Amino acid sequence: MQTPKSILLHLDGSARTVQRLQLARSLAEAFGARVTAMPCTISAIMRYPFALEGAAEAIAIMRASDKAARDRMYATFTAHAAGSPRMRWTEPESDAPWGFARHALYADLVIVGQRNPEDAMAAELPGDFLPDLLVKCGRPALVLPYTGPVEHVGRTVLVAWKETPEAARAVSAALPWLRKASHVHAASYGENAEASLKELQQYLAAQGIAEVSLHAEAADKGDAGNKLLSMAADLGADLLVMGCYGHSRAREWILGGATRTILETMTLPVLLSH
């Protein structure tokens, strides 16, 4: 993948929106990219449909609430994007948040946040917003954790490698970070782990990434997601790169075990590609 030039940034009312804005701005400056910041939440009317029974007055109150929330997001955006010609605000369409994935089709990279069920603003989005976006948008997504500082992204990178199209796309999307990283690690599990990692190493060398530390382990009998997070912590990684795995069942996206674990318990930024 070439350096991303178009970044779609998701905004909501959560406490970590500022963090995403700051990172998006720094990436825009580092990569010479343009950031489109889009507020995207469920309207109050959809969150509290029973209030429709209260007729016009209740609807007016909920619409005022939506506008106030949007105004707060815009104020946050202007406070952290002021002076940057690379940052622009755009209004969502009426199908938000489900239409957000469509806008992602026109971006090289999407920046979103991990869902925090304890955040008072968690109800602004459907519970499956992030899995649905990852599977439908066809673009790599940089997901930021809802806890802990994110001062740097990509100085020490851990690649979770599998011989799958999803992992290959994730590595391709990560190349701009891998080329700039001080340390690159690649981990794989299974009988063919060592051989596949050596092939990955050769591929990365051809991309100008000469130094890659390999971590091959026997067939995984536990939770690969937790093992990856533990390894990332031990290595001091500030970016995890991995494929996103999932399938549709009865109109609901069912994520693979490792992907689900990472999205629920991630402790560092994760670059995912389906």
Side-chain angles (χ1 to χ4, degrees):
M1 175 181 170
Q2 295 181 348
T3 300
K5 296 299 182 183
S6 176
I7 299 172
L8 179 63
L9 170 65
H10 175 249
L11 301 181
D12 56 21
S14 67
R16 303 289 275 190
T17 290
V18 170
Q19 177 198 62
R20 296 200 297 274
L21 270 164
Q22 292 172 336
L23 178 63
R25 180 168 181 168
S26 67
L27 290 180
E29 294 169 352
F31 294 142
R34 182 188 68 180
V35 174
T36 299
M38 177 178 288
C40 188
T41 58
I42 299 175
S43 69
I45 291 176
M46 296 189 69
R47 277 182 280 161
Y48 309 107
F50 60 86
L52 291 175
E53 298 177 3
E57 184 177 354
I59 293 175
I61 292 173
M62 287 187 286
R63 285 178 175 168
S65 175
D66 287 339
K67 183 180 183 304
R70 189 66 47 79
D71 289 344
R72 286 193 296 271
M73 283 183 258
Y74 183 72
T76 300
F77 169 79
T78 54
H80 294 275
S84 175
R86 299 190 178 280
M87 306 283 289
R88 73 183 184 99
W89 166 282
T90 188
E91 289 288 339
E93 297 175 358
S94 59
D95 59 350
W98 296 274
F100 189 80
R102 185 183 69 79
H103 290 278
L105 298 174
Y106 302 97
D108 296 321
L109 176 71
V110 183
I111 298 179
V112 291
Q114 176 195 22
R115 180 180 178 83
N116 180 4
E118 297 182 1
D119 191 308
M121 297 294 103
E124 287 185 329
L125 292 168
D128 64 347
F129 170 74
L130 184 52
D132 189 71
L133 171 66
L134 291 171
V135 174
K136 286 183 177 179
C137 75
R139 297 298 189 182
L142 182 60
V143 186
L144 303 189
Y146 66 69
T147 185
V150 179
E151 298 178 359
H152 306 288
V153 175
R155 291 188 174 183
T156 299
V157 183
L158 173 60
V159 176
W161 178 245
K162 293 176 68 175
E163 290 186 331
T164 64
E166 292 87 350
R169 284 191 285 269
V171 169
S172 179
L175 288 177
W177 284 274
L178 295 174
R179 292 190 179 109
K180 292 185 176 184
S182 299
H183 304 283
V184 176
H185 299 265
S188 186
Y189 302 101
E191 297 178 0
N192 193 42
E194 186 173 356
S196 67
L197 282 175
K198 288 182 177 179
E199 289 197 59
L200 175 64
Q201 187 178 42
Q202 292 175 4
Y203 167 77
L204 292 177
Q207 301 296 323
I209 303 149
E211 297 293 331
V212 182
S213 300
L214 306 182
H215 307 266
E217 296 193 18
D220 177 50
K221 296 181 180 179
D223 189 331
N226 281 323
K227 286 189 174 183
L228 285 169
L229 291 175
S230 178
M231 181 181 294
D234 291 341
L235 296 172
D238 55 12
L239 179 63
L240 173 62
V241 177
M242 62 181 290
C244 174
Y245 304 93
H247 63 277
S248 178
R249 185 178 70 191
R251 294 183 297 178
E252 178 184 8
W253 288 106
I254 308 300
L255 295 178
T259 304
R260 185 172 59 252
T261 297
I262 294 295
L263 290 180
E264 290 176 352
T265 61
M266 58 191 289
T267 52
L268 75 166
V270 182
L271 184 66
L272 288 158
S273 184
H274 185 264

